[in-house]
């Protein structure tokens, strides 16, 4: 599951564009509709041309509501960066771009909107040139720019195609078994109670699961889950989720709280960070400056303690320790934004290196800076996991060959990662009782990589089942071919291991090594189709040895329905023109085998007379027995093999 987030200046048409793309008006508040301006976060969803369903977070563009904007962009996979063609780059265009860059949003697509209101093509060219210059050196440098109009519909199909193309090549969402859902909305539903929404990361959540609300530490249980207003049993990383909670009241939960699995995520008041101070910050950053701190959907005041310098000039980077005024649940690697309270402006942001330093660091101490530098590069386990994420799925020996760790370090780290469930071994030849019994040729994939692969396979097969509901599944080779663009060097051996693990988990079925389907897929006939099927099978039973031809069957029920009857085992096709009831075929086969056991041989004429049928059916039947290696032909006769 993926989430797209809008960004851009006020009144540049973000919400109107979302409405045009999704059919959903993201402005839900009465005041928003009266003022024709987004104030708080809005949500929608759409299905991309590839069939992938994605969530959309629409954020306010007005400078007075930047805090609300920050609560929505932290968990997005792609930015839909909106710039109006009649105005071009404006102040919040630049500020939103800086925020996307500081949060290291992976990238996205730029929508040059309101093209119907531009003066002419020359003006559009001028606006686009200015825009491309502003994007240089940011996470949107090189992003496609699509000229479009929500009013006329111009360019919307191209915009969707570009978003689809970008997301298809994006990195998979992490699944480290530690779910986190930063809450961006809290409300109640009559008859259900407390509901919270947010974008899920780092793990899955399931109905009935016991959860914890941080930083308060309150316990609750998941009564229900929804994504895109559809009930689900389990929510996966990257999805927009609404959670119905029991055991906790609406007044006990706030925007910025985090829903998580109990026992691992803790709040903190002191955080070690690496800070990027923006080049357009109004003043040098001084020690102990009071700022607004934002991470995920959380917001609090903080004091900035500069550790390696007396002041940080605009455009510089440095190590800081943030002293938060309110507890926030953070983990290593979390991104954050800093803003000045007055004048209200974004001044920088960065990455959490240590969420639990334990004490205040003394300033200007080389050993403190050295320790932070080491933490920033990661532990051996983190390094190996990052190496695998860049190459996965890959063989053990390939990972060892390309990691910066020593052979011994790599082996020890891999054992720990496998034991902790952060890395999966795809090797059906292993003894499952041996936790570290992998081989140099074993394939490895991270937990999050497997989650992304599973999602890709489920989407691929789900789309196929919807397109061909009467087919048992997709041909195995077609699955491999369609999966190949998303899995580097997808050999037959690797594909077999992927299918075997998926089948072992119970959500995929490999039918006779030829057809693959989702375990949830069932072939069901409509009342009209069932009526046609019943009549066809009745026709077969009326004259079981002289049956309708394949062409006649297709004319009566259609090729897809006939194929479904064959795949389900009701009918068996003996040749291009001959088809029998499976029960009839079994009876005829048994009688022919008994005849051969007694007489030794059988001819086409004897077969014809035995069942009072024609030569066409006798030839097709005996030919099929030859193919199945039950009989073999000797001259004009058949004998048992």
């Amino acid at each position: 599951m993926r989430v797209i987030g809008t960004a851009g200046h006020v009144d540049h048409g973000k919400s109107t564009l979302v409405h045009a793309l999704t059919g959903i008006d993201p402005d839900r508040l009465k005041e928003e509709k009266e003022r024709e301006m987004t104030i708080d976060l809005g949500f929608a969803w759409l299905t991309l041309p590839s069939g992938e369903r994605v969530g959309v977070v629409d954020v306010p563009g007005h400078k007075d509501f930047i805090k609300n904007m920050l609560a929505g962009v932290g968990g997005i996979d792609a930015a839909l960066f909106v710039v109006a063609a009649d105005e071009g780059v404006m102040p919040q265009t630049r500020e939103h771009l800086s925020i996307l860059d500081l949060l290291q949003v992976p990238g996205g697509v730029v929508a040059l909107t309101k093209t119907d209101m531009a003066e002419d093509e020359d003006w559009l060219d001028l606006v686009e040139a200015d825009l491309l210059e502003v994007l240089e050196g940011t996470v949107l440098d090189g992003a496609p720019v699509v000229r479009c109009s929500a009013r006329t519909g111009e360019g919307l199909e191209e915009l969707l195609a570009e978003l689809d193309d970008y997301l298809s090549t994006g990195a998979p969402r992490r699944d480290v078994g530690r779910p986190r859902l930063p809450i961006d909305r809290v409300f109640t539903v009559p008859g259900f109670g407390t509901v919270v929404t947010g974008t899920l990361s780092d793990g899955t959540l399931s109905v009935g699961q016991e959860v914890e609300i941080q930083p308060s530490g309150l316990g609750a249980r998941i009564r229900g889950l929804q994504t895109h207003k559809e009930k689900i049993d389990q929510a996966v990383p990257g999805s927009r989720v609404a959670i119905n909670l029991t055991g906790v009241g609406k007044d006990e939960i706030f925007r910025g709280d985090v829903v998580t699995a109990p026992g691992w995520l803790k709040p903190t008041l002191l955080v070690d960070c690496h800070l990027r101070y923006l080049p357009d910050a109004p003043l040098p950053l001084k020690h102990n400056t009071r700022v607004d701190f934002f991470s995920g959907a959380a917001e609090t005041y903080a004091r900035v303690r500069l550790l390696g310098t007396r002041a940080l000039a605009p455009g510089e980077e440095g190590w800081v320790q943030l002293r938060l005024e309110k507890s926030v649940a953070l983990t290593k690697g979390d991104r954050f934004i800093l803003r000045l309270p007055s004048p209200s402006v974004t001044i920088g942001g960065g990455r959490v290196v240590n969420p639990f330093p334990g004490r205040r660091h003394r300033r200007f101490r080389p050993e403190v800076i050295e320790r932070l530098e080491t933490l920033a590069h990661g532990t051996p386990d983190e390094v190996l996991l990052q190496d695998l994420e860049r190459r996965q799925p890959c063989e053990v020996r390939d990972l060892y060959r390309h990691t910066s760790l020593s052979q011994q370090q790599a082996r020890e780290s891999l054992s720990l990662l496998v034991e902790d469930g952060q890395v999966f071994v795809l090797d059906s030849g292993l003894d499952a009782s041996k936790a570290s019994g992998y081989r140099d040729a074993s394939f490895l994939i991270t937990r999050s990589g497997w989650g992304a692969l599973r999602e890709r396979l489920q989407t691929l097969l789900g789309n196929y089942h919807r397109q061909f509901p009467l087919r048992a599944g997709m041909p195995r080779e077609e699955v491999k071919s369609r999966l190949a663009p998303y899995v580097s060097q997808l050999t037959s051996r690797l594909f077999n291991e992927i299918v075997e693990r998926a089948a072992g988990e119970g959500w995929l079925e490999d039918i006779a090594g030829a057809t693959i389907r989702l375990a949830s897929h069932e072939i069901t006939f409509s009342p009209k189709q069932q009526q046609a099927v019943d009549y066809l099978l009745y026709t077969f039973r009326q004259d079981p040895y002289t049956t309708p031809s394949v062409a006649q069957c297709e004319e009566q029920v259609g090729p897809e329905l006939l194929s479904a009857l064959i795949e389900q085992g009701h009918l068996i096709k003996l040749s291009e023109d001959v088809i029998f009831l499976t029960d009839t075929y079994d009876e005829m086969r048994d009688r022919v085998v008994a005849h051969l056991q007694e007489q030794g041989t059988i001819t086409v004429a004897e077969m014809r007379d035995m069942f009072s049928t024609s030569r066409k059916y006798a030839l097709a039947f005996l030919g099929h027995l030859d193919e199945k290696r039950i009989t073999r032909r000797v001259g004009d006769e058949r004998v048992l093999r």
Side-chain angles (χ1 to χ4, degrees):
M1 303 285 278
R2 308 294 181 97
V3 177
I4 298 167
T6 63
H9 192 75
V10 63
D11 202 32
H12 274 205
K14 296 184 293 299
S15 300
T16 305
L17 182 60
V18 170
H19 195 182
L21 291 174
T22 67
I24 300 169
D25 184 0
D27 286 342
R28 54 190 169 80
L29 303 178
K30 180 181 177 181
E31 187 180 357
E32 290 177 318
K33 297 185 184 299
E34 290 175 350
R35 296 174 63 177
E36 295 185 348
M37 180 178 69
T38 301
I39 296 172
D40 204 351
L41 301 176
F43 308 102
W45 57 90
L46 59 86
T47 301
L48 294 171
S50 66
E52 181 177 4
R53 299 185 71 192
V54 296
V56 181
V57 179
D58 184 43
V59 305
H62 196 281
K63 64 180 181 179
D64 291 344
F65 306 113
I66 288 287
K67 293 182 178 183
N68 291 341
M69 178 267 186
L70 286 165
V73 296
I76 65 175
D77 298 282
L80 177 56
F81 195 64
V82 181
V83 179
D86 58 335
E87 289 190 341
V89 175
M90 298 292 282
Q92 264 58 64
T93 307
R94 295 179 184 275
E95 185 168 14
H96 281 211
L97 180 60
S98 295
I99 290 168
L100 295 176
D101 199 47
L102 290 168
L103 293 175
Q104 286 295 284
V105 170
V109 177
V110 180
L112 189 57
T113 58
K114 301 187 179 183
T115 53
D116 55 304
M117 298 179 66
E119 296 176 11
D120 50 37
E121 286 295 320
D122 290 340
W123 173 259
L124 285 175
D125 291 340
L126 186 65
V127 171
E128 185 169 337
D130 182 38
L131 175 58
L132 291 175
E133 186 177 337
V134 171
L135 298 177
E136 282 183 10
T138 72
V139 290
L140 293 180
D141 193 350
V145 178
V146 180
R147 298 180 180 185
C148 58
S149 167
R151 188 175 68 84
T152 67
E154 176 194 357
L156 297 188
E157 287 189 9
E158 182 186 351
L159 183 61
L160 286 174
E162 290 289 359
L163 285 167
D164 202 2
D165 183 60
Y166 174 77
L167 288 174
S168 69
T169 58
R173 276 298 190 119
R174 298 172 61 213
D175 180 359
V176 295
R178 293 178 171 179
R180 289 194 293 163
L181 185 132
I183 297 170
D184 49 40
R185 277 188 73 199
V186 185
F187 54 96
T188 57
V189 175
F192 292 92
T194 305
V195 176
V196 300
T197 69
T199 301
L200 181 60
S201 66
D202 296 346
T204 60
L205 291 174
S206 303
V207 173
Q209 181 177 345
E210 298 294 329
V211 293
E212 193 172 73
I213 314 298
Q214 288 293 357
S216 66
L218 291 171
R221 186 176 63 83
I222 298 178
R223 179 180 181 184
L225 292 169
Q226 283 193 8
T227 185
H228 307 156
K229 290 196 173 179
E230 292 182 1
K231 290 183 179 180
I232 55 174
D233 293 325
Q234 185 180 72
V236 298
S239 54
R240 284 289 311 172
V241 185
I243 307 177
N244 181 199
L245 294 171
T246 61
V248 65
K250 174 181 177 292
D251 295 338
E252 298 176 282
I253 307 175
F254 305 93
R255 172 179 282 185
D257 288 353
V258 179
V259 180
T260 185
W264 75 275
L265 184 63
K266 303 298 179 186
T268 183
L269 287 168
L270 202 60
V271 191
D272 291 343
C273 306
H274 187 264
L275 173 67
R276 279 178 54 198
Y277 197 51
L278 289 176
D280 55 0
L283 298 167
L285 183 64
K286 296 180 179 180
H287 179 68
N288 218 32
T289 297
R290 193 170 190 253
V291 295
D292 290 329
F293 171 88
F294 302 86
S295 185
E299 171 192 351
T300 184
Y301 288 119
R303 293 283 180 179
V304 182
R305 304 188 68 249
L306 300 176
L307 299 178
T309 183
R310 296 192 179 280
L312 209 59
E316 291 186 341
E317 301 183 8
W319 293 104
V320 300
Q321 190 171 59
L322 300 176
R323 183 160 49 86
L324 309 179
E325 293 191 11
K326 184 178 70 176
S327 293
V328 178
L330 296 168
T331 66
K332 181 180 177 181
D334 283 351
R335 292 276 169 179
F336 66 90
I337 296 292
L338 298 185
R339 304 187 82 236
L340 288 178
S342 181
S344 184
V345 62
T346 302
I347 57 171
R351 185 167 63 95
V352 174
V353 174
N354 184 3
F356 302 103
R359 59 184 178 84
R360 295 187 188 185
H361 299 307
R362 294 182 63 182
R363 300 178 67 196
F364 312 116
R365 300 296 291 266
E367 64 272 19
V368 171
I369 303 301
E370 185 178 344
R371 186 163 62 251
L372 292 175
E373 292 279 2
T374 301
L375 279 173
H377 288 93
T379 65
D381 297 357
E382 292 170 336
V383 169
L384 193 69
L385 196 62
Q386 291 167 5
D387 290 337
L388 179 56
E389 285 173 344
R390 286 192 290 268
R391 311 191 65 81
Q392 66 180 331
C394 70
E395 292 182 348
V396 172
R397 57 192 165 206
D398 188 36
L399 178 63
Y400 288 166
R401 191 181 305 122
H402 290 92
T403 184
S404 58
L405 303 176
S406 69
Q407 189 80 217
Q408 182 63 27
Q409 278 182 317
R411 288 187 183 278
E412 291 173 357
S413 293
L414 181 58
S415 294
L416 291 172
L417 289 168
V418 171
E419 186 177 343
D420 192 40
Q422 298 306 308
V423 171
F424 297 154
V425 181
L426 306 180
D427 193 334
S428 56
L430 288 181
D431 180 357
S433 65
K434 297 179 180 178
S436 60
Y438 41 82
R439 304 173 290 196
D440 281 352
S442 300
F443 290 106
L444 301 172
I445 190 168
T446 65
R447 183 190 183 104
S448 59
W450 177 253
L453 191 55
R454 171 175 174 157
E455 184 179 339
R456 179 63 60 184
L457 266 173
Q458 288 176 326
T459 300
L460 181 67
L461 291 169
N463 290 341
Y464 188 87
H465 293 328
R466 283 188 288 274
Q467 186 177 0
F468 303 107
L470 297 178
R471 296 185 185 179
M474 186 185 294
R476 206 173 197 276
E477 283 303 311
E478 186 176 349
V479 178
K480 180 173 178 283
S481 175
R482 292 200 191 183
L483 191 63
Y486 306 102
V487 181
S488 60
Q489 300 178 338
L490 183 61
T491 62
S492 294
R493 184 170 71 91
L494 174 55
F495 180 67
N496 292 340
E497 297 292 357
I498 291 170
V499 171
E500 183 141 356
R501 180 178 181 91
E505 291 182 352
W507 55 269
L508 179 144
E509 292 179 356
D510 185 11
I511 307 171
T515 303
I516 294 176
R517 71 181 178 195
L518 294 176
S520 58
H521 176 59
E522 292 182 0
I523 296 176
T524 56
F525 300 146
S526 67
K528 185 177 180 180
Q529 289 172 330
Q530 189 63 56
Q531 186 178 9
V533 165
D534 291 343
Y535 183 75
L536 178 67
L537 297 181
Y538 169 79
T539 305
F540 272 79
R541 293 188 189 98
Q542 289 301 105
D543 197 352
Y545 309 125
T546 309
T547 56
S549 67
V550 172
Q552 288 171 328
C553 293
E554 289 182 344
E555 184 178 349
Q556 187 170 335
V557 300
E560 287 291 324
L561 200 51
L562 181 62
S563 294
L565 291 172
I566 294 171
E567 289 177 344
Q568 289 180 338
H570 296 293
L571 299 174
I572 183 168
K573 188 176 179 182
L574 306 186
S575 70
E576 290 303 312
D577 196 42
V578 176
I579 192 167
F580 279 155
L581 280 171
T582 302
D583 291 345
T584 302
Y585 171 83
D586 291 342
E587 177 234 328
M588 294 171 70
R589 180 199 60 215
D590 292 344
R591 288 176 61 182
V592 168
V593 168
H595 175 91
L596 288 169
Q597 289 171 339
E598 183 179 336
Q599 303 295 330
T601 65
I602 192 170
T603 65
V604 173
E606 288 172 328
M607 164 77 191
R608 178 198 62 200
D609 295 342
M610 183 185 296
F611 296 100
S612 300
T613 187
S614 70
R615 181 177 177 81
K616 178 182 81 169
Y617 294 98
L619 274 172
F621 188 86
L622 290 175
H624 192 265
L625 291 184
D626 292 344
E627 289 177 13
K628 292 295 182 181
R629 301 183 68 79
I630 296 171
T631 61
R632 63 184 176 90
R633 183 174 178 176
V634 180
D636 292 333
E637 298 177 325
R638 258 69 174 192
V639 299
L640 281 175
R641 281 188 178 273

